[in-house]
Amino acid sequence: MRKRTWFIVTLIVAVIFIGYGFTKHVENQKYYDDSLKQAVVAINYGHYHTAQIDLENALKKKKMEQKLRII
């Protein structure tokens, strides 16, 4: 009985961690895509400094994600 209980608890904890990891990945991808879209809009309006900041933010988020994949 105790082994079965620990198995269920371990399974629930594993599902929580997997769900968190997937959610974080989706959140990072959405932030990256939004930053690129904002940069394109800023370029179209001639706000080049704002576009540069948006592109740098997108690049930071992508680099952070790639570092995590290596680990």
Side-chain angles (χ1 to χ4, degrees):
M1 179 74 175
R2 289 189 58 100
K3 286 184 181 182
R4 186 175 187 188
T5 304
W6 279 111
F7 175 74
I8 291 172
V9 169
T10 305
L11 185 64
I12 291 171
V13 170
V15 168
I16 290 171
F17 278 110
I18 291 169
Y20 174 77
F22 181 73
T23 303
K24 194 67 174 170
H25 170 73
V26 170
E27 180 182 313
N28 285 344
Q29 187 63 39
K30 183 177 181 329
Y31 182 83
Y32 176 78
D33 292 339
D34 289 346
S35 293
L36 289 181
K37 288 177 186 175
Q38 288 176 356
V40 169
V41 170
I43 289 171
N44 289 338
Y45 283 107
H47 301 276
Y48 300 113
H49 182 68
T50 305
Q52 179 183 359
I53 292 170
D54 288 335
L55 290 172
E56 287 173 354
N57 288 340
L59 186 60
K60 286 177 189 175
K61 194 57 95 167
K62 203 56 155 179
K63 281 184 179 179
M64 188 183 315
E65 186 176 303
Q66 288 175 351
K67 285 180 184 177
L68 290 175
R69 284 187 184 176
I70 291 173
I71 294 174

